[in-house]
Amino acid sequence: MNEEMKSLQKNETWELIDCPPGKKPVGCRWIYTVKYKADGSIERFKARLVAKGYTQTYGIDYIETFAPVAKINTVQVLLSLAANLDWSLQQFDVKNVFLHGELSEEVYIDLPLGCMGSEKQCQKVCKLKKSLYGLKQSPRAWFGRFTKSMRAFGYRQSNSDHTLFLKKQHGKITALIVYVDDMVVTGNDPEERKAL
């Protein structure tokens, strides 16, 4: 829990404020998991702070939801191209993906249980600046920020599958496809793949 709290604070996920009149904070809870090694022994214990998104109200706490899920046909075509053209494939997993989204809505959450602070601090709420696991808009918030970054790097977003990003330069091509927090990169431009 301490590691997760340090990560959230380092990421500037929220600011502590008095709850504005008429606003109802979304609850939150801790989810605990045990990560195991391949041999079955315990690798580590993990705690994640999760918002109780099921208590959010449409039009107040969120407006739009979206999860970046690649179309299966796009994945098949990309894998076929890579196999037929002898392109290498690289897979990436974005760590704590939903903590990187920037929120456009005003969302408040209750102070997490176990937060040590003064009695005065314990009466405050967290005004979220970044998304949190469990919020209905977290996937959309992260993917919006990711899309801006990919465009800044010179990639074009496909019109037929918004999770596919392409960059063509000097007669070579690089393709990246997103499935929630997993990405696959392929193409015939090894320098661009390395830079990406």
Side-chain angles (χ1 to χ4, degrees):
M1 287 170 62
N2 288 336
E3 282 179 32
E4 177 82 350
M5 286 302 291
K6 283 178 191 169
S7 174
L8 293 169
Q9 288 166 349
K10 182 181 175 196
N11 198 30
E12 297 181 1
T13 306
W14 61 65
E15 60 181 315
L16 284 180
I17 64 165
D18 293 316
C19 191
K23 296 289 183 179
K24 186 177 183 301
V26 174
C28 61
R29 59 180 280 200
W30 288 100
I31 303 290
Y32 304 101
T33 52
V34 180
K35 297 290 184 175
Y36 295 96
K37 295 179 184 175
D39 66 4
S41 63
I42 294 175
E43 180 179 337
R44 64 188 166 99
F45 298 98
K46 186 174 180 180
R48 173 165 282 153
L49 185 66
V50 178
K52 295 179 180 177
Y54 56 85
T55 65
Q56 288 184 276
T57 306
Y58 177 77
I60 297 172
D61 300 314
Y62 74 99
I63 296 165
E64 187 182 346
T65 62
F66 167 77
V69 178
K71 295 178 181 177
I72 190 65
N73 293 351
T74 309
V75 174
Q76 289 171 333
V77 168
L78 204 58
L79 292 175
S80 176
L81 279 169
N84 287 310
L85 299 173
D86 202 28
W87 292 348
S88 66
L89 292 163
Q90 289 178 281
Q91 186 271 336
F92 300 94
D93 179 65
V94 182
K95 190 173 182 172
N96 296 324
V97 68
F98 294 149
L99 303 181
H100 300 290
E102 293 167 349
L103 295 174
S104 55
E105 305 90 350
E106 271 189 32
V107 180
Y108 303 90
I109 65 164
D110 291 322
L111 201 61
L113 287 175
C115 259
M116 297 301 169
S118 67
E119 192 173 317
K120 193 175 180 180
Q121 275 187 324
C122 291
Q123 295 170 357
K124 297 195 179 277
V125 296
C126 302
K127 180 182 180 186
L128 294 179
K129 296 195 259 179
K130 305 249 176 89
S131 58
L132 200 62
Y133 279 89
L135 290 177
K136 292 185 183 287
Q137 66 268 49
S138 289
R140 179 191 50 78
W142 170 78
F143 191 67
R145 185 173 178 197
F146 177 76
T147 299
K148 277 189 218 169
S149 295
M150 291 302 289
R151 287 180 179 156
F153 291 136
Y155 283 77
R156 290 188 46 212
Q157 193 172 19
S158 169
N159 289 327
S160 60
D161 188 335
H162 294 286
T163 65
L164 177 64
F165 296 85
L166 302 166
K167 185 173 186 178
K168 298 175 193 170
Q169 62 182 4
H170 314 298
K172 295 187 176 186
I173 188 164
T174 304
L176 179 143
I177 194 157
V178 179
Y179 191 95
V180 187
D181 65 346
D182 287 298
M183 299 177 201
V184 173
V185 179
T186 191
N188 61 355
D189 190 342
E191 273 85 49
E192 177 58 29
R193 275 201 329 269
K194 187 176 181 183
L196 180 61

